[in-house]
Amino acid sequence: MTSAVLEIPASRFGEGKSPFLSARRVAELLGVNLTELAGLIGVARNTLAAKAGARKVDAALSPVVRILAMAGEMAGDEQRAAIWFKHQPIPGWAGKTAYDLVHEGKADKVLAYLEAVRSGVYA
C-alpha cells in the first residue's frame, strides 16, 4: 500500500475514553450482532465483551475499521461504506464482498483494492 497508516477516527469507532475500538459500535454500523462480528473478525464472542481481551479485539477489529474508514472517505459517509462492505461484490473475486473476504482473512486484499480505486486504477 502506498499511503501512510490510515488514521482511524477514534470518536466514531471508540467507546468513551477507552483507547480501544468498540466492537459494539462496529457491529451497529454493519447491522450485525456481536456474535456475527466475532465470527467475521475471528475471535470468540466472549472475547468481545471481556476487558482482558481488549487488545486482541482491537487488533482484530482494526482492519475492518480501516476498510470502513477508507470506504467511508471515498463513498461520502459511513452508512454507504457499511452497505458497500456487506453487499457490493469486488471485481476479480468471484462475486465476493469485502465482508466475505474479511471473513476469509483477506482484509489486506480489500485494503489493497480500495487503495487501487483511490489511486484511480479502477476509475
Side-chain angles (χ1 to χ4, degrees):
M1 218 178 276
T2 59
S3 69
V5 173
L6 179 66
E7 277 296 312
I8 298 174
S11 60
R12 294 190 316 207
F13 297 106
E15 194 78 52
K17 294 186 180 201
S18 172
F20 300 107
L21 298 171
S22 168
R24 183 189 59 80
R25 283 202 173 181
V26 174
E28 285 174 2
L29 177 61
L30 292 175
V32 299
N33 61 40
L34 289 176
T35 302
E36 290 173 291
L37 181 62
L40 174 67
I41 62 173
V43 299
R45 164 64 175 91
N46 292 340
T47 305
L48 292 181
K51 293 218 183 275
R55 289 191 191 284
K56 182 177 182 178
V57 171
D58 204 57
L61 276 176
S62 182
V64 173
V65 170
R66 288 179 59 215
I67 290 166
L68 290 170
M70 188 181 293
E73 175 187 299
M74 294 164 56
D77 69 34
E78 292 174 357
Q79 289 296 17
R80 287 183 181 168
I83 291 167
W84 170 85
F85 183 84
K86 288 177 65 181
H87 301 290
Q88 183 65 44
I90 295 178
W93 286 96
K96 293 182 180 182
T97 64
Y99 185 100
D100 298 328
L101 292 171
V102 169
H103 190 261
E104 294 174 4
K106 298 177 180 167
D108 59 328
K109 303 296 183 193
V110 178
L111 287 164
Y113 167 76
L114 288 172
E115 186 64 40
V117 170
R118 187 163 54 181
S119 299
V121 172
Y122 289 103

